[in-house]
Amino acid sequence: MLLADTLFVVKQQHAVIIERLGKFNRIVGAGFHAKIPVIDRKAATVSLRTMKNGFDIDAKTEDNVTIGLEVSAQYHVSYDMGAGPADSGVYKSYYMLQQPVAQMRDFITDALRSSIPVYTLDEVFAKKDDIAKDVNATVSEQMAAYGFTLVSTLITRIALPAEVEDSMNQINAAQRTKAAAQDLAEADRIRRVTEAKAEAEAMEKAGEGIANQRKAIAVGIKDSLETIQETGVTNNEANQLFMYTQWTEMMTEFAKTGKSSTVVLPADFKESASMFEQMLAAGEAGEQGNVPPVPPQA
């Protein structure tokens, strides 16, 4: 029994505090060790692993919105041995605080409730990592005095009141609707501008085509008149013949299609003179009055 109380083994990543007659004696690390039976005792086995603790707190933002925060803290007993055993992290973590984890939670809660009120709700979401880093730096200094190293402090979730969350969703939906409407309006503007440019270019090309067509017609008329005049016909007769030919061609085309809405007829149905005779008479009247001949009235 004395041998079993004398020899003991300490697991990896653990440390054992040995007390002699109720007073701190030494700290032993992982491995095989021996102690004096009855006089020495293992006061505590301290884990050196990194541990995690999560908790929830409430805080109010600068714009008076109460939010819930889920906080996760990772920590471990300090590996610093100090100048002597009493200055080591293992010694402080066991002897200086009765409930070190609860105290650390209180420090983090106090630091967060002091930091959150200087930020608006939107800023809390945007800067939650920066807030957590500042809190971690502040609490790390406080916990170092008790033999603990605070590895990180994370804000894992921000809970909003239901009405606030609904309002934010409505705002986001309205902003997205506005952006979509602006995009549609811009697309419609681009379409209209493109169509207007295309129409302008088409009209320009059509104008050029009409101009070229009229030019070709004028050249054709000139050549036709010159050909007719070569047969000995006077200028007036050639002009009237050409006008009559155009009229007959127009009537022929009208008869073929049957889709035109305008018909050119003689000015007076009572007259028995032919269309050609009326045009000749009109041409002679134009020459006597020094005015150019006019086509039949429509």
Side-chain angles (χ1 to χ4, degrees):
M1 291 179 60
L2 291 177
L3 183 63
D5 190 45
T6 300
L7 305 176
F8 64 96
V9 176
V10 179
K11 295 180 180 181
Q12 184 66 35
Q13 287 299 100
H14 287 77
V16 172
I17 298 175
I18 302 297
E19 291 182 349
R20 178 168 294 175
L21 299 177
K23 182 180 179 181
F24 172 78
N25 180 258
R26 67 187 186 277
I27 299 173
V28 296
F32 184 76
H33 301 278
K35 64 182 179 65
I36 302 173
V38 181
I39 296 176
D40 292 344
R41 76 178 187 93
K42 294 190 293 185
T45 300
V46 179
S47 175
L48 301 178
R49 296 177 179 178
T50 298
M51 293 167 284
K52 174 186 175 182
N53 187 265
F55 54 93
D56 300 334
I57 67 169
D58 295 329
K60 182 176 287 188
T61 63
E62 186 181 21
D63 43 1
N64 293 323
V65 178
T66 301
I67 59 176
L69 301 176
E70 291 185 4
V71 184
S72 176
Q74 294 181 341
Y75 62 95
H76 61 76
V77 173
S78 176
Y79 304 140
D80 186 11
M81 297 305 295
D87 296 324
S88 67
V90 175
Y91 180 93
K92 293 179 180 179
S93 66
Y94 180 72
Y95 287 105
M96 297 193 68
L97 277 179
Q98 180 68 29
Q99 296 179 326
V101 176
Q103 186 62 51
M104 179 181 63
R105 179 184 300 181
D106 291 341
F107 283 149
I108 294 176
T109 300
D110 181 69
L112 281 173
R113 286 179 175 168
S114 299
S115 300
I116 296 297
V118 301
Y119 296 99
T120 63
L121 180 60
D122 291 338
E123 290 174 342
V124 171
F125 277 95
K127 300 180 179 180
K128 71 180 186 67
D129 292 337
D130 295 334
I131 296 173
K133 288 179 181 179
D134 292 340
V135 170
N136 189 80
T138 300
V139 177
S140 292
E141 295 180 0
Q142 296 171 325
M143 293 303 297
Y146 301 106
F148 284 89
T149 298
L150 187 59
V151 179
S152 66
T153 302
L154 303 175
I155 299 176
T156 57
R157 183 174 179 270
I158 301 175
L160 299 176
E163 60 274 10
V164 175
E165 187 171 358
D166 292 340
S167 298
M168 292 183 67
N169 291 333
Q170 292 176 6
I171 292 173
N172 291 333
Q175 291 176 345
R176 293 180 182 275
T177 302
K178 179 181 177 182
Q182 291 176 342
D183 292 341
L184 290 174
E186 180 65 17
D188 184 64
R189 184 190 70 82
I190 294 174
R191 180 183 62 81
R192 290 176 180 270
V193 170
T194 303
E195 290 179 352
K197 289 182 179 180
E199 184 177 358
E201 292 177 358
M203 293 179 65
E204 181 181 357
K205 297 299 182 182
E208 293 177 358
I210 293 173
N212 293 333
Q213 182 184 18
R214 290 177 178 175
K215 182 178 179 181
I217 291 173
V219 172
I221 293 173
K222 178 177 177 296
D223 294 342
S224 297
L225 289 175
E226 290 177 353
T227 302
I228 293 172
Q229 289 173 356
E230 290 176 356
T231 62
V233 179
T234 64
N235 291 338
N236 182 48
E237 291 175 342
N239 187 35
Q240 298 302 327
L241 177 61
F242 185 77
M243 293 175 63
Y244 179 74
T245 302
Q246 283 189 323
W247 184 85
T248 55
E249 290 177 352
M250 179 273 294
M251 294 302 295
T252 301
E253 185 66 25
F254 175 79
K256 289 181 180 180
T257 60
K259 297 181 180 179
S260 301
S261 59
T262 302
V263 180
V264 179
L265 297 173
D268 190 355
F269 286 98
K270 296 179 180 179
E271 295 183 3
S272 59
S274 66
M275 178 64 69
F276 184 64
E277 292 174 348
Q278 291 185 43
M279 296 177 68
L280 290 176
E284 293 175 357
E287 289 182 353
Q288 294 176 1
N290 295 326
V291 294
V294 295
Q297 297 180 7

